[in-house]
Amino acid sequence: VAVATVAAKWNVDAQDEPEPLVVTARWASEEGGSELQGTMKVRACAAPTEAVTETTRSLLAGYHILSVGLFSGYSARESTVAAEGYDKLVMRTEQVSGTLEVYLDSLPEGGVCVSFVAQRDHVVDGVRPVASAVYDYYEPARRGEEVLELEVATT
């Protein structure tokens, strides 16, 4: 016995529907250093873009994935992952195909920022942009995305 649920949309202009979630990711070199010296501080933030109502509040209470794109040649030090201002929000992390997947127990109404250290493992020429996203684990269409190029800010 198989049960399937299918949802279909047609004749819908994607620009008519704003993304319900927003994500930003920033990479910064260590003070006095450069991205070529080995480690970078990464800060990724996720938040709802819409006004929080009783209906959307229940959606924020569910599991969310913050998928942070890692530039070629870099890997995340998973032991350094921390949700700023929250002790038990990060349930687990894993590196998958050039991203750090951060599993959040919920998405706070005011948003959350997660920080970690990225280690340069290999020198790569011509580093390409990477995509980061936040999405509802149970409803992946509720998402926000950002594409980022390696433009390092020194802290």
Side-chain angles (χ1 to χ4, degrees):
V1 174
V3 177
T5 302
V6 178
K9 292 183 181 181
W10 58 90
N11 297 332
V12 176
D13 186 0
Q15 295 176 356
D16 289 344
E17 296 180 23
E19 292 182 333
L21 304 173
V22 64
V23 63
T24 58
R26 298 295 172 258
W27 290 58
S29 62
E30 299 289 337
E31 188 172 335
S34 76
E35 69 274 14
L36 300 177
Q37 293 180 321
T39 61
M40 302 277 283
K41 295 178 187 176
V42 182
R43 185 172 191 249
C45 300
T49 56
E50 58 209 25
V52 177
T53 64
E54 288 302 317
T55 304
T56 57
R57 183 172 288 115
S58 65
L59 295 172
L60 297 176
Y63 227 39
H64 284 75
I65 309 294
L66 178 57
S67 177
V68 184
L70 299 172
F71 289 107
S72 297
Y74 286 91
S75 62
R77 289 187 188 163
E78 291 183 63
S79 63
T80 65
V81 174
E84 299 170 10
Y86 297 93
D87 289 336
K88 298 180 181 180
L89 192 62
V90 175
M91 302 307 292
R92 70 182 178 111
T93 62
E94 64 182 350
Q95 292 187 61
V96 180
S97 302
T99 64
L100 175 66
E101 305 288 314
V102 181
Y103 292 76
L104 303 171
D105 187 45
S106 62
L107 186 60
E109 289 181 31
V112 65
C113 291
V114 173
S115 59
F116 63 92
V117 174
Q119 174 69 44
R120 185 172 204 141
D121 300 319
H122 309 285
V123 176
V124 177
D125 190 32
V127 175
R128 311 274 303 164
V130 295
S132 293
V134 60
Y135 58 93
D136 185 317
Y137 182 81
Y138 297 105
E139 193 178 337
R142 285 186 41 81
R143 65 187 304 117
E145 298 176 329
E146 177 187 61
V147 176
L148 183 67
E149 294 188 33
L150 187 58
E151 295 175 8
V152 180
T154 303
T155 58

